[in-house]
């Protein structure tokens, strides 16, 4: 299946891919080829700033999304987290473990607001397809991968397959896409630098447990 749309205006990363972007985890709902026909008369963008016009469009049921982070030199760093800790409750030496958590995880509404002003796909990109996406179909988002860079996706991705996507800025454009096997080990397409799941890195980096004590007057609750 293939679709197309027309775009009037600037078609560049600097115009459409602002901020750091997101890391998305979810499962494949469908794929297709999508082409964008530019109707602007002027194309003054530098080559490295231009966006492609032919894509593998991947609809994903999003399970988790978190903001990407970069250091002062532009190198990507693991998502910000809160370390795991054990909290003492009451006076009975009862401890409750609080697992490590992602600081900058966003929900589906926040993700849609960042990349499409409330919709999973920005206005004018492919409006007929927005009825099949968030918020009308909760959790369903569409991401566009450069056909030249990710041509193998058209044949390799299967419905229901777990994937991890990094976006170019706060947009639907794909920077990298990882296909995961049943053991959770990613096979990265267009992203050879990463060899293990970023969620695994979070677990290993924060495996130590901190112990704190919290006052609680209701001891019966923790018996």
């Amino acid at each position: 299946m293939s679709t197309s749309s027309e775009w009037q205006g600037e078609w560049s990363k600097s115009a459409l891919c602002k901020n750091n972007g997101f890391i998305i985890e979810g499962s494949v709902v469908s794929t297709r080829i999508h082409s964008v026909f530019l109707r602007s008369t002027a194309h003054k963008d530098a080559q490295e700033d231009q966006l492609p016009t032919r894509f593998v469009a991947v609809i994903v049921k999003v399970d988790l999304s978190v903001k990407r982070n970069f250091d002062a030199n532009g190198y990507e760093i693991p998502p910000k987290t809160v370390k795991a800790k054990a909290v003492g409750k009451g006076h009975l030496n009862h401890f409750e473990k609080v697992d490590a958590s992602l600081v900058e995880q966003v929900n589906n509404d926040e993700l849609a607001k960042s990349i499409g002003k409330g919709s999973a796909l920005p206005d004018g990109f492919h409006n007929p397809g927005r009825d099949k996406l968030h918020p009308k179909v909760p959790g369903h988002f569409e991401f566009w991968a450069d056909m030249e860079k990710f041509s193998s996706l058209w044949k390799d991705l299967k419905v229901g397959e777990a994937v991890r996507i990094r976006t170019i800025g706060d947009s639907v454009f794909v920077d990298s896409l990882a296909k995961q096997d049943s053991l959770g080990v990613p096979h990265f397409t267009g992203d050879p630098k990463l060899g293990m799941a970023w969620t695994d890195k979070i677990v290993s980096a924060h495996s130590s447990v901190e112990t704190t004590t919290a006052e609680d007057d209701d001891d019966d609750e923790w018996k």
Side-chain angles (χ1 to χ4, degrees):
M1 177 182 177
S2 62
T3 55
S4 65
S5 57
E6 296 184 359
W7 180 259
Q8 179 71 42
E10 191 173 354
W11 189 253
S12 65
K13 295 175 185 177
S14 57
L16 301 173
C17 307
K18 300 181 184 299
N19 301 316
N20 287 345
F22 297 94
I23 302 172
I24 310 292
E25 288 190 344
S27 55
V28 175
V29 175
S30 66
T31 62
R32 71 178 193 282
I33 301 298
H34 185 80
S35 300
V36 177
F37 296 97
L38 303 180
R39 297 307 181 192
S40 177
T41 56
H43 303 288
K44 300 180 180 179
D45 306 317
Q47 185 68 34
E48 62 274 12
D49 191 42
Q50 292 178 358
L51 286 166
T53 57
R54 188 167 170 79
F55 303 91
V56 178
V58 184
I59 295 180
V60 174
K61 186 180 187 303
V62 173
D63 296 321
L64 181 148
S65 54
V66 63
K67 294 179 180 179
R68 296 178 71 180
N69 285 283
F70 298 84
D71 64 19
N73 296 316
Y75 294 103
E76 187 164 10
I77 57 178
K80 297 176 183 178
T81 63
V82 174
K83 291 184 178 181
K85 61 182 178 180
V87 180
K89 291 286 187 178
H91 307 285
L92 301 176
N93 294 322
H94 177 90
F95 288 89
E96 178 182 80
K97 182 180 178 182
V98 180
D99 292 332
S101 61
L102 293 162
V103 173
E104 296 185 303
Q105 183 175 344
V106 299
N107 61 39
N108 289 334
D109 289 337
E110 292 169 331
L111 179 62
K113 183 178 180 179
S114 294
I115 66 177
K117 296 182 179 180
S119 175
L121 198 62
D123 185 34
F125 274 36
H126 183 234
N127 289 355
R130 299 212 293 179
D131 287 343
K132 299 180 180 179
L133 303 173
H134 191 89
K136 292 190 175 181
V137 180
H140 284 208
F141 286 76
E142 183 168 303
F143 299 96
W144 291 6
D146 182 357
M147 183 66 177
E148 182 176 347
K149 182 179 179 182
F150 297 94
S151 58
S152 62
L153 293 183
W154 178 238
K155 295 181 179 180
D156 290 349
L157 282 184
K158 297 177 176 60
V159 173
E161 201 159 37
V163 293
R164 182 180 302 114
I165 293 171
R166 296 193 304 166
T167 67
I168 304 173
D170 295 356
S171 76
V172 301
F173 301 109
V174 173
D175 187 13
S176 68
L177 188 149
K179 185 169 65 171
Q180 298 173 265
D181 62 21
S182 60
L183 298 177
V185 179
H187 300 291
F188 283 87
T189 300
D191 189 13
K193 300 185 296 297
L194 299 180
M196 62 184 287
W198 61 272
T199 45
D200 292 340
K201 291 183 180 180
I202 292 171
V203 173
S204 62
H206 301 293
S207 58
S208 60
V209 176
E210 297 178 350
T211 302
T212 59
T213 302
E215 295 296 330
D216 195 329
D217 294 331
D218 189 1
D219 290 343
D220 291 338
E221 180 181 354
W222 302 103
K223 290 182 180 179

